[in-house]
Amino acid sequence: MLGELGFPLTVGVVIAAAIVTVCVMTGTLYHQLAYGDLGLYGSFAAIGMLIAFLYTLPFVFRSELGADRFLSQRARFDRLLINWTWAFIALGVVAFLTKSTATYSRGWVVLFYLVGGLTVIGLELVIRSAARWALEAGRIARQRLMLIGSPEEIQRVTAAQASTRSTVEIVTVAAIPSAAIDPTSADGEALLRDIIDRAVLSARAHEIDSVVLLSDWSHVGFVDTCVAAFSMLPVSIHLDAGRLAKRFRGIRVKQIGPVGTLSLTEAPIGALQALAKRCFDIAVATAALFVLSGVFAIVAILIKRDSPGPVFFRQRRLGYNQREFRIYKFRSMTSQDDGDQVLQAQRNDPRITRVGRCLRRFNIDELPQLINVLKGEMSIVGPRPHAVAHDRLFEKRIGLYPRRLNVRPGITGWAQVHGLRGETDTDNKMVARVDHDLYYIDNWSIWLDCYIVALTVLSPKAYTNAV
């Protein structure tokens, strides 16, 4: 039977073994086809072990190899691919620092990346199925749980547990009547102590692993009494976070000056993270402008020859913390709306010029926003900025819409690489875009930015719904 440590350890070993196997197989296959020999088995195995370590490390730090993740959470293939890409970027850095980039074939590395990526996705599905089978077959040790709280709260949690696959097993409960925690009740304290004393005996008899207190956090006396009593047992004690845990991820206790607080959310990007993201933006924007300078000149000539008007289109947009700025785009339409009423571009829009249609189809019209990036008004990756008129409209209809502007807007974004671009003629389309934007804000990393940039160039979805 796999215990609390056994399942994550087994999963980690299986993933590492699969990655090393794929590394050796792709290495020998590629060398056989390209060079007529099988290559160096030991080198392939060493690279496979390094990639396996780099890939599993984030999962270990986030405690995401446990059975409950595979049983209760939906598959997150994007997270897998981000970690997989991060491992190869880190490998490239190691190879550069050790001056071994010329030792291994780039063709093999690409093959390994592609086949390995499919492998880790397949493993995710296999492990999920294996976890469900092991749970039903009694191969996974369950955490034995005691609930303490009002009858209504106990019923709520018990019902939720019955409909959820989990390694937790509710073994026993202790119902606390409202009179026992009523500060105005003369006999309440004695009643509470009597119930808790009996609950402690029950917990010891049932060999409980964890105790969960289902109580309003304002009932400090109740919590103190329970903690004092159950601290005499080798159990972990938890206070139910209720709806807070579902609404806010990463809740933790912090000390703010003299005040002990429960931290619900943090700033989207901390100071060091913001510095790293800004350096990334400057580096990418500078390199892109240098490489694409010829493209800018050609596009400018085509625009001027195609229709009268300026080369660049500038429009008011809202950026970080709702600060207004003017965005740069190659002009692709005959109109230049920038007032209280802005008509979105539509499919077969007669305002779109012949050259503009091509520019919009391949996202070339967005390239001048690299200037906005260097000015600090935008980022390479982030929620796409909308016309000010559209922001004012949707912030009244979609509750979390303004939260998109808690980071700098981007030239490309998580929503765009998932095909959520173009006209937003219904609230549902905008809600889907906002959901993706908020996911990006809540899960930001440099590696996610790199992944989105790669998808922007390579993924067909990044070019869909262009108008």
Side-chain angles (χ1 to χ4, degrees):
M1 182 176 290
L2 297 175
E4 185 177 354
L5 182 61
F7 187 90
L9 185 60
T10 302
V11 169
V13 170
V14 169
I15 292 175
I19 291 174
V20 172
T21 300
V22 170
C23 185
V24 173
M25 289 179 61
T26 55
T28 55
L29 176 62
Y30 184 84
H31 276 72
Q32 180 63 43
L33 295 176
Y35 307 113
D37 62 70
L38 297 179
L40 301 174
Y41 296 99
S43 296
F44 297 144
I47 293 296
M49 286 187 285
L50 179 57
I51 286 290
F53 171 76
L54 294 171
Y55 173 72
T56 56
L57 192 61
F59 292 112
V60 172
F61 276 126
R62 292 192 295 258
S63 301
E64 290 183 349
L65 293 180
D68 275 334
R69 181 181 81 82
F70 296 98
L71 290 169
S72 59
Q73 297 181 14
R74 65 183 180 87
R76 292 282 297 276
F77 298 130
D78 55 313
R79 176 73 62 83
L80 303 182
L81 292 177
I82 289 170
N83 282 1
W84 184 245
T85 302
W86 173 86
F88 273 79
I89 293 174
L91 176 66
V93 173
V94 172
F96 173 78
L97 294 176
T98 58
K99 298 183 179 180
S100 57
T101 53
T103 305
Y104 301 99
S105 168
R106 284 170 290 183
W108 163 63
V109 172
V110 172
L111 179 64
F112 177 32
Y113 175 81
L114 296 175
V115 176
L118 295 175
T119 300
V120 295
I121 290 176
L123 270 177
E124 176 79 6
L125 299 175
V126 171
I127 293 172
R128 285 178 177 277
S129 297
R132 288 193 292 268
W133 172 85
L135 183 68
E136 294 169 358
R139 302 289 185 179
I140 298 178
R142 292 177 179 266
Q143 183 180 176
R144 299 171 66 81
L145 191 68
M146 167 180 263
L147 302 180
I148 301 178
S150 69
E152 295 77 17
E153 287 297 305
I154 291 175
Q155 184 178 10
R156 175 183 65 83
V157 175
T158 303
Q161 172 63 20
S163 61
T164 305
R165 283 195 180 99
S166 172
T167 59
V168 168
E169 178 183 11
I170 300 175
V171 177
T172 183
V173 301
I176 308 295
S178 57
I181 55 177
D182 184 357
T184 63
S185 173
D187 301 324
E189 184 177 348
L191 177 60
L192 177 61
R193 289 188 179 279
D194 179 63
I195 295 173
I196 297 303
D197 288 343
R198 284 186 277 114
V200 168
L201 295 175
S202 177
R204 196 187 301 276
H206 287 91
E207 298 183 343
I208 295 300
D209 299 309
S210 298
V211 175
V212 176
L213 309 180
L214 307 175
S215 169
D216 188 319
W217 293 11
S218 63
H219 296 152
V220 179
F222 165 74
V223 174
D224 286 345
T225 300
C226 291
V227 170
F230 283 98
S231 61
M232 304 302 171
L233 275 64
V235 299
S236 57
I237 305 171
H238 306 268
L239 184 59
D240 175 34
R243 296 176 180 84
L244 286 178
K246 294 181 179 179
R247 183 175 178 185
F248 302 101
R249 289 178 290 182
I251 295 177
R252 60 185 183 275
V253 175
K254 291 186 68 174
Q255 189 75 23
I256 306 295
V259 182
T261 69
L262 190 67
S263 178
L264 303 180
T265 65
E266 296 283 353
I269 299 178
L272 291 177
Q273 294 173 317
L275 177 61
K277 185 171 176 61
R278 183 62 184 146
C279 291
F280 174 84
D281 288 340
I282 293 174
V284 173
T286 302
L289 282 171
F290 177 77
V291 171
L292 298 172
S293 57
V295 174
F296 272 60
I298 293 172
V299 171
I301 293 172
L302 291 175
I303 291 174
K304 295 298 290 185
R305 289 176 61 89
D306 182 53
S307 62
V311 171
F312 293 112
F313 165 57
R314 298 182 66 199
Q315 187 181 65
R316 292 179 303 120
R317 302 286 172 100
L318 293 181
Y320 172 69
N321 204 18
Q322 302 209 23
R323 296 170 186 164
E324 192 174 292
F325 70 100
R326 287 193 176 273
I327 196 171
Y328 290 92
K329 299 181 72 172
F330 280 126
R331 183 176 59 81
S332 60
M333 304 177 72
T334 56
S335 66
Q336 301 183 57
D337 297 346
D338 189 21
D340 294 334
Q341 297 291 329
V342 176
L343 180 63
Q344 287 187 335
Q346 305 171 19
R347 195 168 297 279
N348 301 319
D349 196 316
R351 299 173 299 165
I352 300 177
T353 64
R354 288 177 301 171
V355 169
R357 197 169 301 281
C358 181
L359 298 180
R360 298 172 76 94
R361 175 68 182 84
F362 297 101
N363 301 327
I364 299 174
D365 63 317
E366 310 287 0
L367 292 180
Q369 289 159 44
L370 293 166
I371 299 171
N372 292 112
V373 173
L374 289 181
K375 292 175 66 177
E377 297 164 336
M378 292 182 64
S379 181
I380 295 294
V381 181
R384 284 292 299 155
H386 303 138
V388 174
H390 298 155
D391 281 330
R392 299 308 185 204
L393 173 66
F394 284 110
E395 70 183 7
K396 298 175 182 177
R397 292 155 60 173
I398 301 174
L400 292 177
Y401 183 89
R403 189 168 173 247
R404 300 172 67 253
L405 301 178
N406 285 350
V407 297
R408 285 190 181 97
I411 298 177
T412 185
W414 190 238
Q416 282 63 46
V417 297
H418 284 80
L420 298 171
R421 52 180 300 223
E423 184 184 10
T424 50
D425 52 346
T426 67
D427 283 358
N428 287 339
K429 289 183 180 180
M430 184 56 78
V431 167
R433 186 179 295 185
V434 170
D435 287 344
H436 281 71
D437 289 339
L438 297 186
Y439 171 86
Y440 169 79
I441 293 173
D442 291 336
N443 296 276
W444 177 85
S445 69
I446 284 292
W447 314 118
L448 180 56
D449 275 6
C450 293
Y451 180 58
I452 292 173
V453 169
L455 288 180
T456 300
V457 178
L458 302 174
S459 174
K461 284 187 177 181
Y463 302 93
T464 58
N465 298 324
V467 294

